[in-house]
Amino acid sequence: MAEKSLDCLGEACPIPLVKAQKEMERMAVNDVLIVNVDHSCAMKNLPDWARSAGHAVEIEEVGEGEWDIIIQKLK
Amino acid sequence: MSEISVTGKIARSGATRRETPEERQRKATIQISAGVLLIAAIVAVAFYSQGANPKGAYIWIIGIGLGYVLQRSRFCFTASLRDPILTGSTTLTKAVIIALALSSVAYAALQIKATGMNLETLEVAKLPGWIRDVGIHTVIGGFLFGIGAVLAGGCASGTLMRMGEGFAQQWLSFVFFVVGSVIGSVLLPLMQAAGLYRKGAVYLPQFFGGWVPALIVQFALLATLYVLADWYGKKKSGEL
């Protein structure tokens, strides 16, 4: 089970999502992707997409206005 | 803080450096002091604007309130039109449709007060609100604005809200937002002179022959869009 981090600090709304989507395609089932974001909008659409795509999602606030979105690829 | 939802089910090594409790404490102190100063400043501006304009304080407080709601609710007009394609989520799309329906009620009430029910002898130019000439430029402008809003990560209100959140890139967007508006205001008279404009504005209640049919068309359209958005969202998330 591999783990990969994606640094999306300073990147506006759709960019973290698009980057995560591309990264997820390259990953194997059960791999974990950690997306580090500081754009509040990505906090909504990234988990939304990951859940609707059937993956496990967790959000952790690692600092004020900075979050880790942890996605485990489930299929 | 309510957005944190760590269940710890996903095993991870923890690649991102977390803030220490001391750092959090220090930032919390700064936040609270800044918040108190900001509230004092808001009240001061309200008093000042009340002196300059009898409605000043109301407009100021409503504006602040709208900004607060916008930030807390993650309401985003750009995302409402972008996310159905990008993520298949239509929650924000439905929220915008509901907001439009609610504002239609209030807006219609204000307009009816100004126009009365008889629209046959109405002079559209004298109405309150932003009723302007339409033409192909409206479509071109809307399209360009859409591209810009997606690239910048927010429309006008979204940009302002995220400037306040401290997202530096949005300050840059704002500078060019102002630049674009200046270019637009210079181009506008030229476009009018070039004859791209339709003569006169289209006032939908007059176009549909009265307030009753106009409101029926408005709400029927919004209801159709809502049902479509709901269906699309459910289909994308696999509920259908």
Side-chain angles (χ1 to χ4, degrees), chain B residues 24-169:
Chain B
R24 288 212 169 215
Q25 187 58 48
R26 198 173 57 83
K27 282 193 179 170
T29 318
I30 297 172
Q31 273 187 346
I32 291 166
S33 343
V36 170
L37 284 177
L38 195 65
I39 289 171
I42 288 171
V43 174
V45 171
F47 274 107
Y48 174 77
S49 56
Q50 190 64 19
N53 178 342
K55 284 181 189 161
Y58 299 109
I59 296 169
W60 171 244
I61 296 299
I62 289 171
I64 298 279
L66 281 176
Y68 183 78
V69 171
L70 203 62
Q71 202 273 337
R72 297 316 300 169
S73 61
R74 301 260 170 277
F75 197 80
C76 178
F77 292 96
T78 309
S80 78
L81 294 166
R82 182 200 59 206
D83 284 359
I85 294 154
L86 220 57
T87 69
S89 156
T90 54
T91 2
L92 281 168
T93 320
K94 287 188 276 182
V96 166
I97 295 169
I98 293 169
L100 280 175
L102 286 174
S103 60
S104 296
V105 175
Y107 197 72
L110 284 174
Q111 293 277 317
I112 290 171
K113 204 178 148 196
T115 63
M117 291 303 280
N118 183 11
L119 299 174
E120 286 183 8
T121 55
L122 187 72
E123 279 182 78
V124 173
K126 287 181 183 163
L127 286 174
W130 205 249
I131 300 150
R132 291 292 180 271
D133 300 357
V134 292
I136 188 71
H137 62 282
T138 318
V139 181
I140 299 170
F143 188 71
L144 289 176
F145 184 80
I147 295 174
V150 169
L151 289 180
C155 61
S157 55
T159 300
L160 288 171
M161 179 260 280
R162 289 188 193 94
M163 279 173 78
E165 281 189 335
F167 197 76
Q169 186 220 296

Side-chain angles (χ1 to χ4, degrees), chain A residues 3 39-40 58 60-61, chain B residues 9 12-13 24 162 165:
Chain A
E3 185 179 289
H39 196 245
S40 59
E58 279 171 19
E60 184 177 359
E61 190 170 31
Chain B
K9 278 183 195 144
R12 58 180 288 219
S13 56
R24 288 212 169 215
R162 289 188 193 94
E165 281 189 335

Side-chain angles (χ1 to χ4, degrees), chain A residues 1 3 5 8-15 17-18 21 32 34-36 38-41 43-46 48-49 51-52 56-64 66-68 70-72, chain B residues 1 3-19 24 27-28 31 71 74 76 79 82-83 86-87 89 91-92 150-153 161-162 165 167 169-170 236-237:
Chain A
M1 193 182 90
E3 185 179 289
S5 295
C8 290
L9 293 180
E11 294 189 89
C13 201
I15 308 292
L17 174 71
V18 173
Q21 283 176 330
V32 175
I34 300 168
V35 194
N36 190 213
D38 61 357
H39 196 245
S40 59
C41 180
M43 277 276 298
K44 199 189 166 321
N45 65 10
L46 233 171
D48 268 4
W49 163 76
R51 285 195 191 103
S52 71
V57 188
E58 279 171 19
I59 301 162
E60 184 177 359
E61 190 170 31
V62 289
E64 289 295 345
E66 191 185 322
W67 302 272
D68 271 358
I70 310 145
I71 308 167
Q72 185 168 32
Chain B
M1 290 288 168
E3 282 151 340
I4 314 170
S5 61
V6 184
T7 49
K9 278 183 195 144
I10 303 177
R12 58 180 288 219
S13 56
T16 310
R17 195 192 72 90
R18 251 158 279 185
E19 282 183 338
R24 288 212 169 215
K27 282 193 179 170
Q31 273 187 346
Q71 202 273 337
R74 301 260 170 277
C76 178
R82 182 200 59 206
D83 284 359
L86 220 57
T87 69
S89 156
T91 2
L92 281 168
V150 169
L151 289 180
M161 179 260 280
R162 289 188 193 94
E165 281 189 335
F167 197 76
Q169 186 220 296
Q170 231 79 59
K236 281 280 172 177
S237 68

